[in-house]
Amino acid sequence: GKSLDMTLLYPTLAQCADKELALCQALFDFGTNCLLSRFAPTKYTCQAFETALSIKPDFLPAAINLAVAYGKAGQWDLADQLS
């Protein structure tokens, strides 16, 4: 599938000194907003948190939100793996 181009939603990413950390934060922000939306597809929500965690594996808020997103998507086995 297609990957999310976060620079379209967060155009100032290119100006950040720590681009990797900025991307991680943007992915977390995007995923959190998707999680709160009744209309956002859960695949994008999960993808945002998964990508954030691939950048910063110890980012606990992203892991917690990913578990919630997996549950919202009915993927309880994946949610359980994060606990």
Side-chain angles (χ1 to χ4, degrees):
K2 287 185 171 183
S3 63
L4 298 170
D5 183 357
M6 298 308 291
T7 60
L8 295 175
L9 297 172
Y10 300 87
T12 58
L13 283 175
Q15 300 168 2
C16 295
D18 188 340
K19 289 177 180 39
E20 191 171 78
L21 180 60
L23 176 60
C24 184
Q25 291 291 335
L27 287 159
F28 177 73
D29 181 67
F30 177 76
T32 300
N33 283 299
C34 286
L35 191 59
L36 295 172
S37 170
R38 295 183 322 185
F39 306 105
T42 53
K43 77 174 195 174
Y44 294 123
T45 308
C46 294
Q47 182 182 0
F49 292 130
E50 289 165 350
T51 306
L53 287 168
S54 74
I55 295 168
K56 193 171 173 15
D58 62 341
F59 190 17
L60 187 58
I64 292 168
N65 282 2
L66 178 57
V68 173
Y70 281 152
K72 190 175 178 181
Q75 297 177 316
W76 298 106
D77 55 329
L78 294 174
D80 284 343
Q81 291 175 12
L82 292 171
S83 60

